[in-house]
Amino acid sequence: MPSTTAHKLAKGQKEISVSEFFEKNRQILGFDSPVKSLIMGVKEAVDNALDACEEAQMLPEIVVRIDKIDQKEYRVSVEDNGPGIVSTSMPNVFGRLLYGSRFHAVRQSRGQQGIGISATIMYGQITTGKAATARSKVEGAEAAKEIDIIIDTKKNAPVLLREDFIPWNEKEHGTRVAFYMNGRYVTGKQSVLEYLRQTAIVNPHASITFIDPDGRRYNFERATEQMPPLSKEIKPHPDGIELGTLMNMIKATKEKTLVKFLQNDFNRISERVAKEICAAAALPESTRPSNLTLESSKQLLEGMGKVKIMAPQVDCLSPIGGNLIRKGLKHVLMDIKPEFYAPPISREPKVHTGNPFLIEVGIVYGGDMPSDQPVQILRFANRVPLLYQQGACVITKAIESTDWRRYGLEQRGGSGIPFGPAIILVHVASTKIPFTSEAKEAIASVPAIQEEIALALKACGRSLKTHLNKKERKTRTRSKFEIVQIIIPLMAEKTAKIVGKPVPDLRGTLTKIMNVVWIDDSVIYEKKRHRVKVQVYNYTPKQQRFKVHTVLPKGGLDLASCSLRPSEIKDDEKITWELPKIASTALYEISFELKGLDQDAFSETELYVSGINPVDVMGADPLPGDWDLEGVNFTETEAPAAEKAEDEEDEPDYDESGEELNDE
Amino acid sequence: MTNNERNTEAIKRLYSISESIYEQLDKGQIPKMVLPLRTKANIKFDARTNVWKYGSLRGARSAKKVKGAMMLLRTSYMLELIQEMIETNKSSTLREAYYISEGWGKAKFHSQDESNLLTEDLEIVTQCLREDFKLRPEENGASIIGDINIVETDRKGRKKAVNCRDDVGDSGYGIPYNVEKEKIEIKNTSARFVVAVETGGMFDRLVENGFDEDQNAILVHLKGQPARSTRRFIRRLNDELRLPVIVFTDGDPWSFRIYASVAYGAIKTAHLSEYLATPTAEFIGITASDIENYDLPTDKLTDMDTRALNAELKDPRFNTAFWKGEIDLMLKLGRKSEQQALAKYGLNFVTDTYLPDKLNELGLLKK
Ligand SMILES: Nc1ncnc2c1ncn2[C@@H]1O[C@H](COP(=O)(O)OP(=O)(O)OP(=O)(O)O)[C@@H](O)[C@H]1O
Ligand SMILES: [Mg+2]
């Protein structure tokens, strides 16, 4: 008898609708706790609003409102000024799962599954029994359409309870969706407010208003009028594509030959490259795609791996860009007054499983942040904040496996989340973000992505370290400077007066105390210009002559403003000055101006020296090897070693003998 | 030396410090000044005077560091201030000197600790006393009660004879900040010994119980860590009247230090130990053994107390069998006690039992 278990199971197997499935497994969508459900509800609606505005190239104006109905129940309403939804699509957009415009598009957007808003409405309906209300008006329409909607979960189909046309005169176009759901409103690290705050950081072009259940209003104003560029749709890129996807594409193609299929259905495959792939796969160019077997598909995949293919173009991705990341961070983090914003890093696009992606990283340091706590990690996927599942996310893994001790943060054993007064922001932008689940809370550990994040973190970390080094050097040298500039001259004046003799020449004393060339810089922003002053004090016993180098933002230098003409300008940004001879204890000043830059774009001057022994210099680093300047091997000025030994103290420092005399 | 001569000498020595700084600058050197290190490790017992003084370790105050450079700069300002005071026949308190420095611009003191320390430093290098610099402490010395006759020269130059038992109220005779011979002459006494008492409560108890008269004692109230003038006065009583001195304090690490500064010399003023310390002063309690023997009420040692006790174990002044035993015992008990804890056995216990016990041990009990 064939009454096996399989047969028994087969009897019970019947098609279950997607909605029914999600109803039973709501945690997959992220609706697994009252607090989280409320955040998810807001998030799905806000993501859609931002997506729609971006697609229509409109500056988003979003109003989020949460009202408390009773102990458990809340009403959430999200309104945007986007392009609106044509009235015939509204029932499916809000009442059918897996209905969306992005499901099949290879392009960067927040939504990618066609589940978000209908799942939210379904969750609200299950927990409160109430219908959702959606209203939308497209440009030029006379009135908005408004519907009350519930979802038939068995059929995965919308059921309209009411359908109306409403003038909505104050709005030219836009969408408002409102729904009831059970939840819990909180504030803190994982909250609606935090979600919106972080959204504002990475969407500085959006204006977001939030009215909380107590009626408090929070305004995240627009920090820039600059829209993120519209990301273009592209075809799948062959790098790392999976066999299943390839076979699906083979099945779906309209092309009649393999070479045309490769050329037209993929990104970055020219005719030449297509032919190369055919050759590498040992498949005739004229093969009909429909004739490809599993075996020959595998062959084709291998062939694709052998040929070098150009990286996908950038325009399918919409990076935030270094400038706007800094703007967004500054705008929202104003009250913690950070001391340093590392120049954000925006990496070139790379590909994972056929999908282009790129990584952006920003680090904020200091100010009113606690220094004995783990750093704060802000994770973003396609400009959407990720608040949950931090531990499972590739971003966290990349941060944990970076040795932050090198970059000036504390980290026990050189791995794990570092400690210190810092915020690390990581944005992963991709045509398809490989989330660990449908709830879109954490990004899966794809090696190519982790590697790119690590590289960006290191680059940003290096800027942080440079800043910290500079800061430390400043405090160390400031005290010496105080001695030679203020205290010693006063001492000379005073004692001269007491003994009734002329003020002595202090050169010998000053150079003995400092015995370095001391370089200091200051930047003032005034009338849309950065005025930079570099002061070079020769506190060595002999005259000095060397070169000073700096890297300035490309095209920023106003050549006419330079007090000393640069002796060389490379790549429009690497500047070299050959200083004249500077006598012992003399000061030489270079000043110049930068034009056409945002105030934020320049705050400290990176200074390098060559032609002098770097140990004799304070306030500038030796010229790095990758500067590749000709003839900069420094000529060592003979070190005044003998002199140094002579004034070595025999006695310990009296004032640092370190004992509390008043303990009796 | 007369007062005037001492002032002139002080100026001369201070001047030579400024001169040396000038010369170092003129020679292109980094100015510095060498002083004995004022640390626990540099306190050495001087067998000739029986007190603890600074040893041979030297430290340099150099203009290489901001702190040293500032102190060197201030030295010249101090010289000017002192010179001016001498010329106008004024003096100032240490606190006033600190405020006067407000007008020194960059060189001003940031705390009175800084100005006090510099004053002591200058005493050390010039081997003068701060009184020679026309600087005096704002704190007055403590008070004494007992049958002793002194003659004090008051601020108007009049000489006044005072009997410190009969001519004073219950709070006793207030020891002025200057107790040198030109200010106070010690005449005679019927007392047999001096009791230096740490707390006001116990001082008043002994007065109320008539202990000074019963036992022919002079009572000195130390007021916590005793001022220089208090220590100097005790030393003079011991020197000039040959009176034995006993020290009666609370039983905790800080009180042990009070005794050390009376008997051995303080680390801070070791350059003056010869004048200020009374090497034969005896510590009578409260000891850790008293806590056990008299079953006294106690408090738990705090972390600070424990640290202080451990520091004393490394302090050369406490390197005796007696102190090692007492400190170890206190650490072992983990408890400390106050003088007034003796009241557990009644208000007269201290004068009827405790002190007679102790005096008997020392052979000082009145027969
Ligand atoms: N506020 C809006 N304005 C205009 N169009 C919208 C708006 N909200 C939703 N849409 C349209 O409805 C579709 C379905 O939205 P839904 O949130 O369900 O899925 P999605 O955003 O495509 O993907 P995801 O499941 O990842 O959120 C969207 O693709 C978009 O075309
Ligand atoms: Mg969506």
Side-chain angles (χ1 to χ4, degrees):
Chain A
M1 277 286 285
S3 85
T4 57
T5 324
H7 280 89
K8 272 189 205 148
L9 280 176
K11 266 192 195 163
Q13 279 165 355
K14 55 178 182 217
E15 202 198 353
I16 49 165
S17 90
V18 227
S19 357
E20 230 178 335
F21 174 76
F22 281 123
E23 182 186 339
K24 298 207 168 86
N25 299 279
R26 45 173 100 144
Q27 76 287 348
I28 293 179
L29 291 175
F31 293 100
D32 45 338
S33 80
V35 171
K36 204 164 148 191
S37 300
L38 204 56
I39 300 174
M40 288 304 291
V42 170
K43 172 180 142 56
E44 293 301 344
V46 170
D47 287 358
N48 285 353
L50 289 168
D51 268 345
C53 289
E54 217 156 286
E55 221 164 296
Q57 288 289 291
M58 294 162 173
L59 285 171
E61 235 154 75
I62 297 173
V63 181
V64 178
R65 186 185 180 107
I66 298 182
D67 292 296
K68 189 167 181 166
I69 305 298
D70 62 31
Q71 254 338 81
K72 287 196 298 194
E73 192 179 320
Y74 291 84
R75 179 176 182 275
V76 177
S77 128
V78 176
E79 179 177 325
D80 65 52
N81 61 340
I85 303 164
V86 289
S87 44
T88 48
S89 301
M90 281 177 71
N92 280 333
V93 162
F94 296 107
R96 188 193 287 273
L97 266 70
L98 295 176
Y99 181 92
S101 51
R102 311 178 216 291
F103 204 29
H104 305 286
V106 180
R107 149 201 278 183
Q108 175 189 332
S109 61
R110 295 166 184 81
Q112 55 188 30
Q113 304 171 125
I115 299 177
I117 196 62
S118 28
T120 305
I121 286 173
M122 189 176 78
Y123 175 77
Q125 168 188 329
I126 295 165
T127 55
T128 68
K130 292 184 182 164
T133 303
R135 172 195 284 200
S136 194
K137 184 175 177 183
V138 292
E139 188 154 21
E142 272 179 25
K145 180 169 181 178
E146 186 168 279
I147 55 173
D148 285 353
I149 186 173
I150 55 170
I151 300 171
D152 178 339
T153 50
K154 285 231 155 54
K155 291 199 199 119
N156 181 24
V159 178
L160 298 190
L161 302 184
R162 179 177 66 90
E163 226 174 323
D164 266 326
F165 283 93
I166 312 241
W168 215 13
N169 288 332
E170 67 274 21
K171 206 108 195 169
E172 269 177 49
H173 46 79
T175 303
R176 180 166 77 199
V177 54
F179 45 84
Y180 295 85
M181 64 161 54
N182 280 0
R184 197 153 73 82
Y185 182 83
V186 294
T187 52
K189 271 201 163 157
Q190 290 170 333
S191 65
V192 170
L193 185 60
E194 180 63 17
Y195 169 76
L196 292 175
R197 197 175 73 96
Q198 292 191 19
T199 301
I201 292 178
V202 288
N203 296 280
H205 64 289
S207 139
I208 301 173
T209 303
F210 173 47
I211 300 146
D212 79 2
D214 293 328
R216 256 189 302 261
R217 237 184 139 84
Y218 301 87
N219 288 319
F220 298 98
E221 277 155 36
R222 186 169 288 139
T224 175
E225 302 278 316
Q226 200 182 321
M227 278 298 294
L230 183 60
S231 54
K232 292 214 179 81
E233 269 183 54
I234 60 157
K235 309 220 168 81
H237 190 280
D239 255 11
I241 200 161
E242 279 161 350
L243 184 61
T245 318
L246 178 63
M247 290 179 69
N248 275 337
M249 288 176 72
I250 289 170
K251 218 193 256 169
T253 187
K254 294 193 288 288
E255 300 298 337
K256 301 282 184 280
T257 65
L258 180 55
V259 77
K260 283 277 172 226
F261 164 64
L262 290 171
Q263 195 183 329
N264 295 336
D265 285 11
F266 285 93
N267 179 239
R268 293 295 200 198
I269 297 190
S270 62
E271 195 182 342
R272 188 180 56 77
V273 174
K275 284 179 176 166
E276 266 178 59
I277 294 175
C278 292
L283 291 169
E285 288 168 18
S286 57
T287 315
R288 261 180 171 274
S290 53
N291 287 346
L292 286 170
T293 60
L294 176 64
E295 268 315 302
S296 42
S297 301
K298 273 190 195 159
Q299 243 171 284
L300 178 60
L301 193 66
E302 268 170 42
M304 286 166 124
K306 283 182 197 148
V307 176
K308 205 171 147 35
I309 299 159
M310 241 172 46
Q313 57 269 59
V314 205
D315 53 8
C316 62
L317 294 177
S318 165
I320 309 167
N323 211 4
L324 289 187
I325 291 180
R326 181 163 35 205
K327 268 213 167 122
L329 283 169
K330 278 204 167 168
H331 202 67
V332 176
L333 301 180
M334 219 127 59
D335 11 307
I336 57 172
K337 300 185 206 75
E339 70 177 49
F340 182 65
Y341 292 85
I345 298 293
S346 215
R347 300 271 308 165
E348 293 292 306
K350 293 275 154 48
V351 179
H352 79 87
T353 48
N355 297 290
F357 73 96
L358 71 75
I359 302 301
E360 298 182 290
V361 167
I363 297 179
V364 179
Y365 186 88
D368 298 339
M369 282 189 262
S371 47
D372 55 350
Q373 297 287 316
V375 303
Q376 197 186 339
I377 300 174
L378 302 184
R379 299 176 293 134
F380 298 92
N382 286 349
R383 295 174 183 248
V384 177
L386 307 179
L387 298 188
Y388 285 94
Q389 300 265 1
Q390 175 167 299
C393 188
V394 67
I395 292 176
T396 314
K397 284 181 189 146
I399 290 174
E400 285 172 342
S401 48
T402 301
D403 185 352
W404 288 97
R405 295 172 305 185
R406 285 196 215 166
Y407 308 123
L409 295 177
E410 262 175 58
Q411 191 183 36
R412 236 170 257 142
S415 70
I417 295 180
F419 279 64
I423 296 174
I424 301 178
L425 172 153
V426 179
H427 178 217
V428 180
S430 177
T431 49
K432 186 165 184 351
I433 304 268
F435 285 111
T436 55
S437 84
E438 282 75 3
K440 304 198 279 190
E441 290 167 341
I443 304 173
S445 294
V446 177
I449 297 182
Q450 181 162 344
E451 199 175 300
E452 276 293 299
I453 299 175
L455 287 172
L457 287 171
K458 283 182 185 147
C460 223
R462 273 195 293 272
S463 315
L464 173 62
K465 184 64 184 165
T466 309
H467 163 77
L468 293 175
N469 279 349
K470 192 159 182 170
K471 188 172 112 180
E472 200 213 283
R473 216 164 35 207
K474 274 225 160 116
T475 42
R476 226 176 336 116
T477 49
R478 203 183 307 126
S479 62
K480 283 232 160 182
F481 206 64
E482 193 184 345
I483 297 174
V484 299
Q485 291 271 294
I486 304 168
I487 306 176
I488 296 282
L490 276 174
M491 202 186 291
E493 206 179 296
K494 201 82 197 166
T495 53
K497 191 180 142 214
I498 289 170
V499 300
K501 289 185 189 164
V503 177
D505 181 347
L506 294 175
R507 254 181 291 181
T509 304
L510 299 187
T511 56
K512 276 208 187 77
I513 290 175
M514 295 289 276
N515 203 11
V516 286
V517 171
W518 202 78
I519 304 182
D520 193 21
D521 73 289
S522 64
V523 180
I524 299 170
Y525 184 74
E526 221 173 49
K527 296 189 188 126
K528 304 211 162 165
R529 285 175 154 252
H530 291 83
R531 292 176 203 279
V532 184
K533 195 156 82 177
V534 178
Q535 296 182 301
V536 183
Y537 297 84
N538 178 7
Y539 279 127
T540 66
K542 44 177 74 69
Q543 73 171 16
Q544 297 286 358
R545 182 166 189 182
F546 56 95
K547 289 180 184 167
V548 170
H549 315 264
T550 187
V551 186
L552 300 173
K554 257 189 199 323
L557 179 65
D558 176 5
L559 206 52
S561 70
C562 291
S563 67
L564 175 70
R565 245 195 114 64
S567 52
E568 189 186 270
I569 300 179
K570 267 181 70 147
D571 311 334
D572 198 25
E573 54 176 3
K574 293 178 177 171
I575 321 289
T576 298
W577 283 281
E578 211 170 315
L579 302 187
K581 284 182 189 147
I582 307 173
S584 175
T585 71
L587 159 70
Y588 186 81
E589 237 180 66
I590 309 173
S591 60
F592 57 88
E593 292 177 17
L594 303 178
K595 58 175 192 318
L597 298 177
D598 270 357
Q599 174 162 13
D600 297 341
F602 192 82
S603 59
E604 289 178 0
T605 323
E606 275 176 55
L607 291 167
Y608 304 98
V609 289
S610 65
I612 184 171
N613 188 342
V615 304
D616 289 338
V617 178
M618 243 190 226
D621 291 322
L623 195 64
D626 57 8
W627 188 281
D628 54 66
L629 203 71
E630 272 167 56
V632 293
N633 312 327
F634 70 80
T635 46
E636 202 158 328
T637 50
E638 47 176 298
E643 226 169 332
K644 265 181 193 156
E646 181 214 306
D647 61 47
E648 211 62 73
E649 304 285 344
D650 303 326
E651 304 91 359
D653 188 333
Y654 179 79
D655 293 294
E656 305 288 338
S657 52
E659 222 166 292
E660 188 53 74
L661 282 170
N662 287 325
D663 70 337
E664 300 196 63
Chain B
M1 266 195 289
T2 69
N3 250 346
N4 256 335
E5 281 164 6
R6 296 176 59 127
N7 291 149
T8 323
E9 186 59 28
I11 288 287
K12 222 168 88 190
R13 295 184 187 173
L14 286 171
Y15 177 88
S16 68
I17 299 176
S18 289
E19 192 177 37
S20 144
I21 294 174
Y22 179 87
E23 275 163 12
Q24 295 180 70
L25 286 172
D26 199 38
K27 281 191 208 133
Q29 295 165 343
I30 302 174
K32 69 173 183 183
M33 178 170 141
V34 177
L35 302 98
L37 278 180
R38 294 163 73 188
T39 60
K40 199 159 63 194
N42 195 32
I43 297 289
K44 297 275 166 329
F45 184 71
D46 180 52
R48 195 178 54 80
T49 53
N50 280 328
V51 293
W52 294 77
K53 295 179 171 179
Y54 292 126
S56 55
L57 299 179
R58 294 282 178 277
R61 163 167 288 162
S62 140
K64 251 189 202 165
K65 298 260 176 68
V66 173
K67 228 168 152 185
M70 286 294 281
M71 282 303 204
L72 289 176
L73 175 62
R74 287 166 180 151
T75 301
S76 295
Y77 278 91
M78 277 298 255
L79 164 68
E80 279 193 334
L81 168 67
I82 293 164
Q83 208 163 12
E84 194 187 303
M85 288 195 295
I86 289 172
E87 277 162 18
T88 56
N89 202 17
K90 286 256 159 57
S91 70
S92 73
T93 66
L94 289 166
R95 183 135 197 92
E96 283 167 334
Y98 161 63
Y99 284 125
I100 288 168
S101 84
E102 284 287 323
W104 295 356
K106 180 79 194 166
K108 83 169 197 210
F109 292 111
H110 298 301
S111 70
Q112 201 187 331
D113 268 354
E114 279 185 342
S115 59
N116 291 357
L117 276 178
L118 182 60
T119 309
E120 283 156 11
D121 290 342
L122 295 179
E123 283 185 319
I124 296 170
V125 277
T126 59
Q127 301 192 315
C128 295
L129 287 177
R130 61 189 178 195
E131 286 77 15
D132 304 334
F133 301 153
K134 300 287 222 168
L135 291 167
R136 57 190 153 85
E138 59 279 4
E139 95 267 34
N140 49 4
S143 41
I144 87 171
I145 276 190
D147 179 25
I148 172 176
N149 293 307
I150 59 166
V151 175
E152 183 184 332
T153 308
D154 73 10
R155 61 203 168 282
K156 291 182 181 141
R158 289 175 305 215
K159 289 193 188 289
K160 267 191 181 157
V162 182
N163 179 283
C164 298
R165 183 184 62 198
D166 301 335
D167 302 341
V168 299
D170 291 347
S171 60
Y173 169 73
I175 303 174
Y177 75 85
N178 180 2
V179 293
E180 294 308 316
K181 287 209 174 75
E182 69 265 11
K183 173 78 178 166
I184 289 178
E185 281 171 66
I186 296 177
K187 290 293 188 195
N188 53 51
T189 182
S190 69
R192 300 182 301 122
F193 58 94
V194 176
V195 190
V197 184
E198 175 181 353
T199 64
M202 182 50 73
F203 181 79
D204 292 343
R205 166 67 34 231
L206 298 188
V207 173
E208 192 179 304
N209 290 6
F211 182 78
D212 56 322
E213 300 199 26
D214 289 352
Q215 288 291 339
N216 282 6
I218 295 172
L219 304 179
V220 181
H221 176 202
L222 295 174
K223 284 200 183 165
Q225 184 60 244
R228 279 193 194 186
S229 57
T230 310
R231 286 182 282 153
R232 174 67 183 146
F233 196 67
I234 292 172
R235 164 86 191 212
R236 285 190 63 197
L237 292 176
N238 178 256
D239 266 0
E240 295 169 32
L241 299 174
R242 308 266 158 221
L243 292 178
V245 174
I246 62 175
V247 180
F248 180 23
T249 67
D250 285 340
D252 64 38
W254 317 99
S255 303
F256 297 168
R257 292 178 185 193
I258 289 174
Y259 165 72
S261 81
V262 171
Y264 306 144
I267 296 175
K268 211 163 121 72
T269 54
H271 56 298
L272 301 170
S273 292
E274 222 177 309
Y275 302 98
L276 302 179
T278 308
T280 55
E282 293 275 359
F283 183 69
I284 59 163
I286 305 287
T287 61
S289 316
D290 288 342
I291 294 177
E292 285 203 312
N293 296 341
Y294 294 93
D295 190 20
L296 296 177
T298 57
D299 285 313
K300 238 179 121 219
L301 290 178
T302 64
D303 288 352
M304 279 238 297
D305 293 335
T306 309
R307 249 179 280 137
L309 284 169
N310 282 314
E312 281 160 18
L313 285 175
K314 291 188 203 103
D315 188 326
R317 297 173 301 165
F318 288 101
N319 190 10
T320 66
F322 169 77
W323 281 117
K324 282 225 166 325
E326 286 298 327
I327 293 169
D328 282 338
L329 180 58
M330 185 167 282
L331 283 168
K332 202 185 102 210
L333 295 173
R335 324 278 316 176
K336 58 183 176 182
S337 187
E338 292 183 347
Q339 295 184 297
Q340 296 184 62
L342 292 166
K344 172 184 179 187
Y345 301 108
L347 295 177
N348 293 333
F349 180 74
V350 62
T351 43
D352 286 356
T353 309
Y354 181 82
L355 287 175
D357 280 359
K358 296 282 175 175
L359 293 174
N360 199 22
E361 273 171 43
L362 297 168
L364 285 173
L365 191 65
K366 199 171 184 179
K367 301 282 151 46

